[in-house]
């Protein structure tokens, strides 16, 4: 009898405690963060006698159906980025859940001064996934959070989708917290970040920020993002338009939809390093304006391939010149191949004055898989 | 138990929380050659396995306690049995503390460490209390339950790995690889539990084969996960991670289940196999030493051993203390793992010589 009573007590207490019913909380009592932004404080001031340095802004979708606003935006400032969370106690009574953060944005001034202190706060937090997406903004990132995309439930979902799927339609890298952390701390590597800006109430990608380790040192627009992504080997599927000419006259124009792949070989003669980058583009011709049948002329498709290859090669060479002359940092992620061969010799010096002196050759190979004619 | 069950017992005992941390240790000196260090470091438990098997062959009809007392006399043998039992209890304490801290950091941040440790102890006592055969079967069951988790490695390899971090092969130098191999060999400790478990196997001629398979089944995943972590983080960044294997899973977003790291951790954190395996072995040794036959005596001694391990596990109050404590404690593995079988083999040889002279 005693054993039965004991067993009943154990089963009942297990059901009550194990199910978590005793500690149940309504989902509406929680604030789920999906988008966060960090900036250097513009207003300054002191907290606990110490100068305020950071501003943290979070976007929280309202889970309570009775509220009017779709989202809540909270801005706090603090001496350190994690320390600023203390200020949220005074403006938000709910439990703030950061586990679902999908995107972190960094303001321009913070990027220039260096993101490493903020990265430390993010990487140290075990509830944050290192696969969350990163981007920087033109100006203060907190200001961008007030934009309201009309056709998305909230800005958080819109920006997440935008950054996550940008490489489905364009040559553009998708950057996660993990990528940035690894590229900003590994010898010979440097990260890039997408730049977001608000334009007439719409948030859009406007280019890419070039970093030397954790500091922003330059930026490129959308036109140069393509060669940067291709040289960097950021895998994407994208549209490339082309124009065919003969004797200076335009004969055809069209578009291919291709995926990219990169191969890098490095050679050395004494202290002169030569990188040979091969960019392989494979895909389909999806548009050409001239009405002739391409399958009748066996030279047509190869000519289109050659034209695209020449265009991309030219873009890449221009970008490499700018990288070696202006940025002076390996933002195309090729130094690692030299390290793979001569790691112990180059490891300590590869980040200073290496990429400027190397020879970089680019060869683009385009392979159009379809006939180019209507089906 | 059968030799197959012993194989699962070996796998369960060798693989603990150290599985999550080994890539960091291996890459500390060996850098890009960490995976080689993991392979070389695995030679220590292999040597321990072979030595214990050679020893066991000489005394197929005895158990560990009888053999100890036969070779070293009643007092000397008993002292050696007690020292090995204490060693296993301290290893159990370390494992309880490791699992508890891991769960506290990632899963139960608001639950006190003592409560998590107590829960681990109670479950382990229950499992160990069922006897060696049940313990071996639970190891087998957990092996199959955890097996799918090993395939999670494929996705980070496809999406986030960079093979250049492994190159040039051998570039870190033989000395660096040797240093890391020694550090890694401490992670493979605990094979010394075979001193007790070997004698529980019915077909002793199959022990070496089963042991080799188990050793391979531990070494290959250790090497693969170390190489994968290297390719995902690079040798420098690997030093920033306390549990690189978990960090590797957080670095990528898996399709459908985005936070695969949490799922892996939940699966991993319930598999505190070294705790109940070693508790079972120490409880069994002490019971046999005291010549007690009844199950309630075994349970009583098991509870005493478990309580001692629990109290020891509460000594480190932070993860830093635990790492330091574990580091020092790790050095006992090669001492006990190699020292015991070598000592026993030496004693057996001497005794053999004496018998022949007579």
């Amino acid at each position: 009898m005693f054993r039965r009573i004991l067993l009943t007590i154990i089963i009942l207490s297990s059901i009550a405690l194990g199910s978590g019913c005793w500690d149940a909380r309504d989902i509406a009592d929680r604030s789920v963060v999906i988008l966060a932004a960090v900036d250097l404080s513009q207003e300054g001031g002191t907290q606990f006698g110490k100068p305020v340095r950071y501003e943290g802004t979070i976007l929280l979708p309202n889970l309570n159906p009775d509220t009017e606003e779709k989202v809540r935006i909270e801005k706090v400032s603090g001496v350190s980025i994690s320390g600023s969370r203390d200020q949220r106690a005074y403006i938000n009574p709910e439990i703030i859940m950061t586990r679902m953060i999908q995107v972190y944005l960094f303001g321009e001034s913070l990027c220039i001064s260096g993101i490493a202190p903020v990265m430390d706060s993010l990487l140290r937090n075990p509830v944050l996934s290192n696969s969350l997406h990163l981007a920087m903004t033109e100006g203060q990132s907190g200001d961008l959070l007030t934009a309201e995309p009309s056709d998305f439930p909230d800005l958080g979902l819109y920006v997440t989708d935008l950054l996550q799927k940008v490489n489905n339609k364009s040559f553009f890298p998708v950057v996660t917290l993990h990528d940035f952390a690894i590229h900003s701390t590994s010898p010979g590597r440097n990260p890039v970040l997408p730049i977001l800006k608000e334009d007439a109430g719409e948030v859009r990608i406007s280019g890419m920020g070039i970093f030397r380790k954790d500091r922003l040192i330059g930026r490129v627009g959308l036109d140069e993002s393509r060669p940067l992504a291709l040289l960097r080997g950021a895998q994407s599927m994208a549209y490339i338009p082309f124009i065919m000419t003969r004797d200076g006259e335009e004969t055809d124009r069209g578009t291919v939809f291709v995926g990219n792949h990169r191969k890098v070989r490095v050679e050395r003669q004494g202290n002169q390093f030569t990188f040979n980058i091969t960019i392989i583009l494979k895909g389909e011709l999806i548009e050409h304006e001239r009405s002739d049948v391409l399958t009748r002329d066996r030279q047509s498709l190869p000519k289109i391939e050659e034209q695209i290859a020449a265009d991309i090669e030219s873009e890449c060479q221009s970008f490499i010149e700018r990288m070696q002359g202006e940025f002076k940092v390996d933002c195309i992620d090729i130094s690692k191949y030299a390290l793979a061969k001569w790691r112990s010799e180059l490891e300590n010096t590869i980040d200073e004055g290496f990429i400027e002196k190397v020879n970089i050759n680019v060869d683009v190979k385009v392979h159009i898989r379809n006939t180019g004619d209507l089906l | 138990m059968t030799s197959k069950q012993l194989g699962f017992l070996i796998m369960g005992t060798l693989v603990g929380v150290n599985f999550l941390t080994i890539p960091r240790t291996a890459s500390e000196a060996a850098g890009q050659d960490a995976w080689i260090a993991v392979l070389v470091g695995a030679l220590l438990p292999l040597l321990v396995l072979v030595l214990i098997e050679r020893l066991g062959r000489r005394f197929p009809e005895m158990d560990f306690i009888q053999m100890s007392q036969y070779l070293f006399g009643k007092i000397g043998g008993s002292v050696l049995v007690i020292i090995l039992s204490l060693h296993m209890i301290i290893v159990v304490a370390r494992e309880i503390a490791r699992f508890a801290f891991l769960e506290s950091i990632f899963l139960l941040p608001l639950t006190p460490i003592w409560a998590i440790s107590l829960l681990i102890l109670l479950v382990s006592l229950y499992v160990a209390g069922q006897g060696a055969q049940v313990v071996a079967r639970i190891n087998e069951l957990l092996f199959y339950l955890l097996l799918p988790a090993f395939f999670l490695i494929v996705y980070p390899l496809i999406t986030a790995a960079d093979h250049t971090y492994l190159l040039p092969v051998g570039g870190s130098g033989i000395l660096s690889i040797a240093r890391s191999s020694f550090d890694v060999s401490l992670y493979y400790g605990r094979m010394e539990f075979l001193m007790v478990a070997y004698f529980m196997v019915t077909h002793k001629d199959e022990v070496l084969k089963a042991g080799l398979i188990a050793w391979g089944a531990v070494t290959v995943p250790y090497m693969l996960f170390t190489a994968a972590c290297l390719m995902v983080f690079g040798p420098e960044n690997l030093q920033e991670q306390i549990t690189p294997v978990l960090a590797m899973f957080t670095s990528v977003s898996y399709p459908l289940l985005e936070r695969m790291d949490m799922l892996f951790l939940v699966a991993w954190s319930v598999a505190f196999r070294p705790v109940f395996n070693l508790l079972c072995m120490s409880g069994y040794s002490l019971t046999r030493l005291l010549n007690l036959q009844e199950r309630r005596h075994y349970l009583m001694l098991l509870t005493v051993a478990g309580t001692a391990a629990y109290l020891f596990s509460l000594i480190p109050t932070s993860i830093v203390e635990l790492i330091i404590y574990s580091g020092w404690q790790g050095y006992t593995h090669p001492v006990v793992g190699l020292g015991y079988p070598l000592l026993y083999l030496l004693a057996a040889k001497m005794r053999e010589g004496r018998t022949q002279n007579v």
Side-chain angles (χ1 to χ4, degrees):
Chain A
M1 188 61 187
F2 174 74
R3 286 171 74 96
R4 280 185 186 173
I5 292 170
L6 190 68
L7 193 67
T8 311
I9 291 170
I10 290 172
I11 290 171
L12 287 176
S13 58
S14 301
I15 291 169
L17 299 174
S19 62
C21 294
W22 63 284
D23 196 22
R25 285 169 203 268
D26 198 301
I27 188 74
D29 294 336
R30 289 174 184 251
S31 293
V32 180
V33 189
I34 54 170
L35 178 61
V38 190
D39 293 292
L40 284 183
S41 174
Q42 300 280 295
E43 290 161 11
T46 59
Q47 271 177 19
F48 310 107
K50 296 183 178 68
V52 167
R53 185 170 166 78
Y54 298 104
E55 268 175 14
T57 313
I58 53 175
L59 184 131
L60 313 138
N62 268 330
L63 299 176
N64 194 328
D66 300 330
T67 49
E68 231 175 70
E69 296 290 332
K70 280 201 294 186
V71 294
R72 181 184 166 95
I73 295 167
E74 288 177 7
K75 182 183 277 191
V76 292
S77 54
V79 176
S80 61
I81 190 63
S82 298
S84 70
R85 291 173 194 157
D86 150 83
Q87 301 293 311
R88 298 201 189 282
Y90 311 126
I91 55 173
N92 188 342
E94 294 172 353
I95 296 162
I96 298 175
M97 289 175 66
T98 53
R99 199 177 286 265
M100 295 301 288
I101 292 184
Q102 301 286 314
V103 176
Y104 240 93
L105 303 177
F106 302 113
E108 198 172 342
S109 54
L110 177 70
C111 290
I112 292 167
S113 77
I115 304 178
V118 181
M119 294 296 289
D120 179 80
S121 157
L122 303 183
L123 293 167
R124 211 173 277 274
N125 188 345
V127 302
L128 279 186
S129 166
N130 290 359
S131 63
L132 63 86
H133 294 87
L134 300 186
M136 60 167 286
T137 61
E138 292 185 12
Q140 293 288 90
S141 59
D143 296 343
L144 194 98
L145 266 58
T146 54
E148 289 180 18
S150 52
D151 49 352
F152 269 78
D154 60 63
L155 183 72
L157 292 175
Y158 169 71
V159 171
T160 305
D161 267 7
L162 189 67
L163 294 173
Q164 208 167 34
K165 296 172 184 170
V166 61
N167 62 348
N168 290 347
K169 299 191 276 286
S170 171
F171 289 114
F172 205 90
V174 173
V175 185
T176 64
L177 174 61
H178 168 76
D179 298 331
F180 195 93
I182 297 301
H183 290 166
S184 62
T185 50
S186 295
R189 305 188 80 175
N190 293 285
V192 292
L193 275 187
I195 304 174
L196 295 179
K197 77 168 190 178
E198 190 183 348
D199 191 5
E202 289 281 320
V203 172
R204 52 173 296 166
I205 295 172
S206 64
M208 274 205 281
I210 312 276
F211 285 72
R212 178 186 290 280
K213 299 306 173 195
D214 71 317
R215 288 169 197 266
L216 179 72
I217 53 147
R219 66 192 77 192
V220 294
L222 291 176
D223 279 358
E224 279 187 303
S225 296
R226 179 161 81 182
L228 172 51
L230 287 170
L231 286 165
R232 210 177 155 82
Q235 291 201 340
S236 312
M237 289 294 291
Y239 300 92
I240 303 179
F242 62 87
I243 295 177
M244 304 296 291
T245 55
R246 192 183 298 149
D247 305 326
E249 294 272 314
E250 181 180 321
T251 55
D252 194 7
R253 70 168 63 199
T255 309
V256 289
F257 183 63
V258 288
N260 67 307
H261 176 62
R262 175 185 82 159
K263 282 182 186 167
V264 180
R265 278 188 303 110
V266 57
E267 292 157 5
R268 179 182 186 178
Q269 283 187 322
N271 279 334
Q272 186 58 53
F273 294 84
T274 303
F275 289 90
N276 297 303
I277 304 174
T278 307
I279 295 169
I280 300 147
L281 301 171
K282 280 185 188 172
E284 292 169 359
L285 181 80
I286 58 166
E287 175 193 22
H288 86 107
E289 292 181 359
R290 212 172 67 181
S291 57
D292 57 347
V293 180
L294 293 175
T295 39
R296 283 187 193 150
D297 180 2
R298 287 175 180 247
Q299 292 306 310
S300 293
L301 272 178
K303 277 180 188 166
I304 291 172
E305 289 172 346
E306 278 170 26
Q307 182 63 49
I308 294 166
D311 291 348
I312 298 291
E313 253 174 49
S314 162
E315 278 178 28
C316 290
Q317 286 297 355
S318 303
F319 183 83
I320 288 166
E321 278 169 32
R322 193 174 174 205
M323 176 184 81
Q324 291 186 302
E326 189 183 329
F327 303 137
K328 296 185 167 77
V329 70
D330 176 13
C331 55
I332 58 172
D333 206 24
I334 54 172
S335 299
K336 63 181 183 181
Y337 292 97
L339 281 176
K341 283 189 172 178
W342 306 283
R343 188 176 295 277
S344 55
E345 186 188 339
L346 296 175
E347 201 163 37
N348 297 325
T349 55
I350 200 156
D351 285 314
E352 293 300 328
F354 177 79
I355 199 73
E356 299 96 303
K357 295 174 196 156
V358 301
N359 297 325
I360 304 171
N361 304 316
V362 183
D363 179 27
V364 180
K365 289 186 165 65
V366 181
H367 176 57
I368 297 172
R369 286 186 290 227
N370 61 345
T371 60
D373 286 330
L374 294 176
L375 296 173
Chain B
M1 71 177 91
T2 64
S3 58
K4 188 182 161 197
Q5 287 172 332
L6 180 76
F8 287 111
L9 205 62
I10 292 173
M11 281 187 256
T13 309
L14 294 194
V15 181
V17 174
N18 52 8
F19 179 77
L20 307 177
T21 61
I22 200 168
R24 180 190 180 181
T25 308
S27 62
E28 198 170 337
Q32 75 269 19
D33 298 317
W35 62 277
I36 301 175
V38 170
L39 273 184
V40 178
L43 294 178
L44 177 76
L46 182 64
L47 187 60
V48 175
L49 168 72
V50 172
L51 284 174
I52 293 176
E53 200 272 339
R54 293 289 112 177
L55 173 70
R57 272 180 187 223
R58 289 169 175 262
F59 307 99
E61 301 304 321
M62 294 185 187
D63 66 8
F64 172 56
I65 289 83
Q66 288 166 336
M67 178 180 68
S68 300
Q69 293 180 341
Y70 171 73
L71 290 174
F72 299 98
K74 192 148 177 97
I75 296 172
S78 301
V79 169
L80 285 169
V81 171
I82 290 170
I83 291 174
L84 186 67
S85 299
L86 278 176
H87 168 73
M88 288 194 284
I89 289 169
I90 291 169
V91 177
V92 168
R94 183 188 69 186
E95 288 304 308
I96 291 176
R98 280 175 164 186
F99 272 107
F101 271 103
L102 189 74
E103 293 194 18
S104 170
I105 291 169
F106 291 100
L107 295 174
L108 306 164
L110 300 178
T111 311
I113 294 282
W114 65 261
I116 302 173
S117 301
L118 188 62
L119 203 64
I120 294 170
L121 175 76
L122 291 176
V123 174
S124 301
L125 279 178
Y126 178 75
V127 175
Q130 307 304 310
Q133 202 171 38
V134 175
V135 167
R137 281 180 184 159
I138 288 179
N139 273 274
E140 183 174 357
L141 181 72
L142 283 171
F143 170 81
Y144 289 119
L145 283 176
L146 288 171
L147 196 59
F150 287 94
F151 294 102
L152 294 176
I153 195 178
V154 175
Y155 194 67
L157 277 178
I158 294 170
T159 56
D162 189 330
H163 74 280
T164 61
Y165 281 131
L166 296 179
L167 301 172
V169 175
S172 64
I174 291 174
L175 279 178
S176 301
I177 296 173
R179 213 185 109 193
S180 275
S181 300
F182 175 72
D183 293 341
V184 166
S185 71
L186 305 181
Y187 274 67
Y188 288 109
R190 306 194 284 252
M191 189 64 108
E192 55 270 22
F193 88 101
L194 268 186
M195 288 291 291
V196 184
Y198 174 88
F199 299 96
M200 296 175 172
V201 180
T202 42
H203 298 287
K204 294 188 171 59
D205 53 321
E206 294 170 357
V207 168
L208 190 61
K209 188 183 164 195
L212 282 174
I213 292 170
W215 174 83
V218 172
T219 307
V220 171
Y222 267 53
M223 188 199 69
L224 286 178
F225 272 75
T226 301
C229 284
L230 267 173
M231 286 194 275
V232 170
F233 294 106
E236 291 84 13
N237 282 293
L238 211 49
Q239 295 307 307
E240 305 283 322
Q241 316 288 341
I242 289 181
T243 51
V245 172
L246 278 181
M248 178 170 69
F249 293 132
T250 68
S251 302
V252 290
S253 178
Y254 282 81
L256 300 175
L257 281 167
E258 288 183 8
R259 296 302 304 269
M260 195 58 86
D261 54 310
M262 290 296 158
L263 199 69
F264 181 83
L265 189 63
V266 169
W268 198 258
S269 60
V270 295
F272 27 86
R273 292 169 289 179
V275 178
F276 49 75
N277 291 354
L278 294 179
L279 263 181
C280 175
M281 295 302 141
S282 57
Y284 171 81
S285 302
L286 293 173
T287 312
R288 291 284 297 115
L289 182 70
L290 297 173
N291 210 15
L292 301 170
Q293 302 296 332
E294 289 184 37
R295 189 168 175 267
R296 66 189 173 96
H297 293 137
Y298 166 68
L299 290 177
M300 206 169 68
L301 281 169
L302 196 65
T303 310
V304 171
T307 309
Y310 173 70
L311 293 174
F312 281 135
S313 77
L314 298 178
I315 293 174
T317 53
S318 70
I319 191 94
V320 179
E321 277 184 37
L322 178 62
I323 289 170
I324 296 168
Y325 169 78
S326 299
W328 283 108
Q329 205 271 320
Y331 290 112
T332 60
H333 288 303
V335 175
V336 177
L338 291 174
Y340 260 73
L342 282 175
L343 185 70
Y344 277 59
L345 278 168
L346 192 69
K349 276 257 179 218
M350 285 169 67
R351 204 176 171 88
E352 217 172 70
R354 228 181 294 154
T355 315
Q356 279 172 1
N357 287 340
V358 170

